[in-house]
Every structure is written in C-alpha cells, then in structure tokens.
C-alpha cells in the first residue's frame, strides 16, 4: 500500500483524529481496544482511508443469471432433440427408397388391360364390356384388386397358377415385415421393412382416369422411417400384353 507523500494529515472516516501518517497505528490500536473494526483499506492516491466497495454478484443476480442460462440451454437442447428425432438415419432412408423403387418398378411392368391377361381377348379388347370387342366374361374384367373368382383367381403375388398379372392386382398389396422377391425368397437385411401398394384411377394430362393409374408405394423401415414413391401406368390396349 502506498501513501501519498504530499499528505501531511489524514482523516479516517469515523475516527476522532485528524493526524499525520504515524498516528495511523495508534488509531488502529484504539479502535481494536474499543471493539471497533479498524479501517481496512487505504485508497491509493488519496489522503483518506476509505472502505472499498465489494466487487462481484449478489445472490439475486446470480439466481437470475442461472435462470436465463438454463432457459437458453433448455431451448437449444429441445431444438436439437426435435431435429434428431425428425431426421432419419441416411442409410435406412436410402434402403427404404431402394425398396420402394423396386416394388414400384415391379408393379409398373405388369400389363394394364381391360381384361385379365388370362382372358383370350385381353390383347384385343377395346373396352371392359363383355363381347366380341371386349372381355369374354364379366369375371375377367379388371378392377382394382386381385381377381378372386376362378378361373382367373384367386390371385396372389407368389401363386404358381394364378399370380398377379395386372397392375390392378397390386391394389391393397402388402409385404412384411421382411421383403421378399417375386420368387418368394427373403432379401437379406430387409427383415424390418414393410411395403404397401395402392392403385387408383387418376387422369394424367390428356389421358382420362379410365386409362391411367396412379401407383403409390409406401415403405416403412426401422425407427419409423417412411419412404413414399408415386408412379403412373397408362393403358396401351389393344396389344397391351408383353
């Protein structure tokens, strides 16, 4: 502690004395003897002893600071949590898309005729009417969903005698958990995936809804990952059979 050299007398607030520097020790002794705390600090550069103001945070300020920081951290963590839950694993997402593409391609490659392809007139029918220019029987007329009445049904994807043979047959189709190919073989690594297909008539530009189908494939994978693909199939009849 340095004391200004030009101060001949000092005044200690609360002291009875105005005295030169050597009296400081005496004032301190008297204060202690009378149970009075001595002046703790000399303010450098001045001619008086003053108690310095304490520096730091009060309890209220500290609590307010903690509350503000906690609210900010909670907001950031909440946003990160939502972002993490909403974002799917890229590998799972790509796999789900690959499955959806494969199923969509399988459906689109099927014939889209007025009559079941097993009908002798399927390749030449110009309408779904029963007759010479249409189907041979009402049971062979194609509608959304697989045929259920013999000899054209019951149709299933893996049936050897009456398999799916038209785009319409896949309406309502579902496979999984576990994806299998058209031969019935399970595909390794896809045991947690499920695929569903919906087929509905929908116009495509100048093509009327009666001659255009919208195919929707939805694949669900691990962690609630969902991939949905849409594709169209238009009618080529007559001569629509491969």
């Amino acid at each position: 502690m340095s004391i200004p050299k030009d101060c001949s007398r000092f005044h200690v607030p609360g002291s009875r004395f105005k005295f030169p520097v050597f009296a400081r020790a005496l004032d301190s002794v008297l204060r202690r003897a009378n149970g009075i705390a001595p002046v703790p600090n000399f303010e450098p550069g001045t001619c008086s002893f003053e108690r310095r103001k304490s520096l730091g945070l009060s309890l209220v300020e500290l609590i307010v600071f903690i509350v503000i920081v906690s609210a900010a951290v909670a907001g950031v963590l909440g946003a990160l949590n939502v972002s993490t839950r909403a974002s799917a694993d890229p590998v799972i997402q790509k796999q789900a898309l690959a499955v959806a593409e494969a199923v969509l391609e399988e459906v689109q490659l099927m014939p889209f005729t007025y009559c079941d392809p097993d009908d002798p007139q399927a390749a030449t029918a110009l309408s779904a009417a029963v007759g010479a220019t249409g189907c041979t029987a009402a049971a062979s007329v194609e509608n959304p969903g697989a045929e259920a009445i013999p000899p054209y049904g019951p149709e299933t994807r893996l049936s050897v005698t009456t398999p799916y043979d038209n785009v319409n047959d896949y309406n309502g189709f579902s496979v999984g958990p576990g994806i299998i190919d058209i031969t019935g073989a399970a595909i390794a690594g896809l045991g947690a995936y499920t695929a569903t297909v919906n087929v509905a008539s929908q116009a495509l530009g100048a093509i009327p809804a009666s001659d255009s189908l919208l195919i929707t494939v939805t694949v669900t994978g691990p962690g609630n990952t969902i991939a949905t693909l849409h594709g169209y199939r238009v009618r080529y009849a007559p001569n629509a059979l491969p």
Side-chain angles (χ1 to χ4, degrees), residues 148-238:
I149 302 175
Y152 307 105
E155 292 179 330
T156 64
R157 181 175 179 243
L158 303 179
S159 174
V160 176
T161 56
T162 53
Y164 288 170
D165 53 10
N166 191 283
V167 178
N168 277 306
D169 295 339
Y170 282 86
N171 185 50
F173 170 72
S174 178
V175 59
I179 304 300
I180 57 176
D181 61 23
I182 56 175
T183 67
I187 301 176
L190 302 182
Y193 293 80
T194 299
T196 59
V197 180
N198 182 71
V199 180
S201 298
Q202 182 166 311
L204 178 62
I207 302 174
S210 59
D211 294 328
S212 176
L213 295 175
L214 172 62
I215 306 164
T216 302
V217 178
T218 303
V219 175
T220 303
N224 251 358
T225 300
I226 298 176
T228 302
L229 290 181
H230 303 278
Y232 282 90
R233 178 71 159 85
V234 295
R235 195 189 303 277
Y236 304 139

Side-chain angles (χ1 to χ4, degrees), residues 122-134:
T124 58
L126 300 177
S127 71
V130 177
T133 58

